[in-house]
Amino acid sequence: MKRLTQQEEEIMLLFWQSGSSFIRDIVDNMPEPRPPYTSVASVVRNLEKKGYLSSEKMGNSLRYQPAIKESDYKRYFLSGVVSNYFTGSYKEMVSFF
């Protein structure tokens, strides 16, 4: 699993919240000022290449849905933080916070 950029994570959060969506729906759910449609479409294509999204053809458009559960993503990267910064100890991480 590849690490997501901040922009990719923001868009994935919207997909995890809404489930199956078109790019236009994602853009409409973003806070103002909204990025251009083409910018979001580019990030969505990258997410599909990385395996985070899958798509299905609906007429002339593609509808995307998460291919990875949000909980699996969080669990994977939290375990990386624990092993890299807290010598693999969840107890040490909890006491840090």
Side-chain angles (χ1 to χ4, degrees):
M1 198 178 305
K2 292 184 179 183
R3 178 83 173 136
L4 298 178
T5 65
Q6 181 179 348
Q7 190 177 31
E8 289 171 336
E9 267 188 25
E10 290 172 6
I11 291 174
M12 275 308 298
L13 286 171
L14 292 170
F15 274 106
W16 283 320
Q17 291 170 359
S18 64
S20 183
S21 298
F22 295 97
I23 294 172
R24 174 60 53 206
D25 299 330
I26 296 300
V27 172
D28 290 344
N29 287 325
M30 296 180 90
E32 292 288 345
R34 292 184 177 113
Y37 177 93
T38 54
S39 298
V40 175
S42 178
V43 172
V44 168
R45 280 192 301 277
N46 288 339
L47 288 167
E48 188 176 21
K49 287 178 189 174
K50 288 182 176 182
Y52 284 89
L53 293 173
S54 61
S55 64
E56 68 175 300
K57 187 86 165 153
M58 302 281 299
N60 292 334
S61 300
L62 290 172
R63 185 172 66 178
Y64 296 90
Q65 56 273 343
I68 294 175
K69 293 180 184 176
E70 183 179 12
S71 59
D72 292 343
Y73 175 76
K74 288 179 179 179
R75 187 177 308 111
Y76 180 79
F77 285 103
L78 181 60
S79 66
V81 168
V82 170
S83 64
N84 291 334
Y85 297 102
F86 299 102
T87 61
S89 170
Y90 283 94
K91 182 178 178 182
E92 191 176 316
M93 181 187 74
V94 169
S95 66
F96 174 80
F97 290 108

